[in-house]
Amino acid sequence: MNFTVSSSMLSSRLQTISRVINSKNTIPVLDCILFELEGNRLTLTASDPENTLNTSIEVVDCSEDFSFAISSKILIDSLKEISEQPLRFEVKKDTLEITIYYQNGKYSLVGQNADEYPGAAVLGEGAVAINVPTKVLSSGISCSLFATADDEVRPVMCGVYFDFTPESITLVASDGHKLVRCRDYSVTGAEKSAFILPKKPATLLKNLLGKEEQESVSIEFDGRFAIFDMGDYKLVCRLFDGRYPNYNSVIPQNNPHKLTVDRASLISTLRRVAIFSSQVSLIKLHIEDNKVVISAQDTDFSTSAEESIACSYEGASMNIGFRASFLIDILNNTPGQDVIIELADPSRAGVIVPAEQVDKQELLMLLMPMMLTE
């Protein structure tokens, strides 16, 4: 069985889909990439026990339909060193001996039986289907993914929550200290439905969507699995089983104190001052009319820092503490030049929103405060 394929195209697609493969697998065949030839179409598949990612490319001179698996590491590492040129695969069906011919040489290796490779999950009856613009999905995942938890006790918090309603799509992530809610009114569902996407497939999606030119992504899901069809790539993943907390109930609704400040200036100041904080990374914000004073100290080493930046503030003078690393993460994932920090009192969560929202989008981030010692 023979076929010819572009080296650069094959190498690029293999590197992309191989990100789904675990570093250690209990099933040896999952260290491999599955090759499935049908006509002049080659489908490449990579899997772990929970996720399957595949892509298709054109080949020429394919002698017959056939399937086999090849070690991903050996194949990817060897193809990295080959410049753009045709690769000729020759596969012996009975022994699975594979020879790859290129311009000045050849590689010889042994494949594995394709029948040993696990098949992708199939959705059950009653699956929900919806098309989401690529930009909307990419923006929502990029803004929320950093806020997911690493908590084995509460696995539902370790993923991104997709909440579809007839009015909007909302993506939510929270680790109990910070929360992100990204709502877009340009996408609507026929009925109310939801699922929790684990962090690994969400990360894979984030990377894939940055490369996609297709205008929309087809999403199908039932209670156990979801399929994301992006045109060049298709991701099938197992969803978290469980009920996501009522995220709207933890967002303070009445926040009379509003601080408007340049986002980049605030990030720079936080990074400088946080160097002098203790290991818990506590920083204090003293807010008054036209400035916010940011300070930190480490009593164990007798170090401290204080810096003020201009702002616009509506409300009474206030001292509030936050974990610097969490606040910096939130600001780094908030678009726009200025941000608004809405506060109620030093014991309640601060709400952070961009000063100018994207059209038909409503982005809100929340950060729990830390107790100040003085």
Side-chain angles (χ1 to χ4, degrees):
M1 193 280 298
N2 309 318
F3 67 93
T4 302
V5 64
S6 161
S7 62
S8 59
M9 176 66 76
L10 179 60
S11 178
S12 173
R13 295 296 179 91
L14 288 173
Q15 289 182 54
T16 299
I17 67 170
S18 66
R19 292 172 182 163
V20 77
I21 299 175
N22 290 336
S23 57
K24 295 182 180 180
N25 282 305
T26 55
I27 306 173
V29 75
L30 291 182
D31 290 326
C32 298
I33 302 287
L34 178 64
F35 281 59
E36 296 176 287
L37 284 148
E38 186 174 348
N40 285 326
R41 200 76 184 164
L42 169 61
T43 300
L44 305 166
T45 302
S47 294
D48 67 11
E50 309 292 334
N51 309 284
T52 299
L53 179 59
N54 65 45
T55 184
S56 296
I57 56 177
E58 293 289 336
V59 299
V60 295
D61 301 330
C62 182
S63 60
E64 60 183 300
D65 296 351
F66 187 57
S67 300
F68 57 94
I70 307 180
S71 167
S72 62
K73 179 173 175 52
I74 292 175
L75 187 60
I76 291 170
D77 288 349
S78 62
L79 294 185
K80 281 180 184 177
E81 306 304 323
I82 296 180
S83 59
E84 165 54 22
Q85 59 186 277
L87 297 179
R88 181 68 176 170
F89 280 69
E90 293 186 0
V91 183
K92 294 182 179 179
K93 296 177 65 174
D94 52 347
T95 61
L96 292 179
E97 294 177 56
I98 302 167
T99 305
I100 305 172
Y101 294 93
Y102 56 98
Q103 188 173 12
N104 298 313
K106 66 180 181 179
Y107 297 138
S108 296
L109 59 158
V110 178
Q112 292 194 41
N113 195 322
D115 294 339
E116 299 175 9
Y117 209 87
V122 178
L123 300 184
E125 295 183 5
V128 178
I130 188 170
N131 286 323
V132 179
T134 302
K135 288 185 178 179
V136 172
L137 186 59
S138 177
S139 173
I141 292 177
S142 297
C143 287
S144 58
L145 186 58
F146 79 97
T148 54
D150 293 304
D151 187 351
E152 294 181 359
V153 178
R154 295 186 299 168
V156 295
M157 305 297 287
C158 301
V160 178
Y161 181 59
F162 284 64
D163 190 5
F164 297 95
T165 70
E167 293 79 32
S168 65
I169 174 179
T170 304
L171 272 65
V172 183
S174 177
D175 62 2
H177 302 284
K178 52 187 179 289
L179 178 145
V180 176
R181 186 188 71 187
C182 184
R183 180 168 290 159
D184 196 291
Y185 294 96
S186 66
V187 182
T188 59
E191 57 186 29
K192 187 170 178 58
S193 55
F195 63 84
I196 306 170
L197 183 67
K199 184 180 295 186
K200 180 175 178 177
T203 303
L204 290 169
L205 268 179
K206 177 184 175 182
N207 294 328
L208 288 168
L209 292 170
K211 301 178 180 180
E212 282 298 298
E213 297 180 357
Q214 189 164 309
E215 292 185 0
S216 66
V217 177
S218 169
I219 305 176
E220 294 183 74
F221 59 95
D222 58 14
R224 300 177 59 205
F225 298 96
I227 300 175
F228 295 83
D229 191 338
M230 294 156 275
D232 286 339
Y233 297 92
K234 180 184 286 187
L235 175 65
V236 182
C237 52
R238 183 183 292 274
L239 303 173
F240 278 137
D241 183 22
R243 187 177 182 85
Y244 203 81
N246 183 356
Y247 56 89
N248 286 314
S249 66
V250 302
I251 300 173
Q253 299 302 312
N254 298 310
N255 305 292
H257 310 291
K258 299 186 188 301
L259 163 70
T260 304
V261 64
D262 181 82
R263 184 177 65 88
S265 297
L266 182 56
I267 292 172
S268 298
T269 302
L270 288 168
R271 284 176 174 163
R272 287 190 291 268
V273 172
I275 295 170
F276 295 86
S277 180
S278 62
Q279 290 183 352
V280 294
S281 189
L282 170 65
I283 52 100
K284 181 175 79 171
L285 276 63
H286 173 71
I287 314 166
E288 48 191 20
D289 291 338
N290 294 312
K291 70 175 181 178
V292 52
V293 179
I294 301 170
S295 60
Q297 63 176 346
D298 189 335
T299 54
D300 292 338
F301 294 94
S302 299
T303 61
S304 64
E306 181 179 291
E307 186 173 334
S308 63
I309 56 175
C311 70
S312 174
Y313 181 58
E314 301 173 10
S317 177
M318 181 188 300
N319 291 325
I320 190 168
F322 291 112
R323 180 168 291 188
S325 57
F326 289 172
L327 184 53
I328 291 171
D329 281 345
I330 284 177
L331 293 170
N332 278 331
N333 287 277
T334 304
Q337 179 176 343
D338 294 337
V339 294
I340 299 173
I341 303 177
E342 302 177 358
L343 304 168
D345 61 63
S347 64
R348 297 179 66 189
V351 174
I352 299 146
V353 298
E356 295 184 4
Q357 296 277 8
V358 177
D359 185 40
K360 294 187 177 181
Q361 190 180 91
E362 184 182 283
L363 177 64
L364 178 148
M365 303 201 184
L366 176 148
L367 181 59
M368 296 300 296
M370 294 183 71
M371 185 178 295
L372 296 171
T373 56
E374 58 179 52

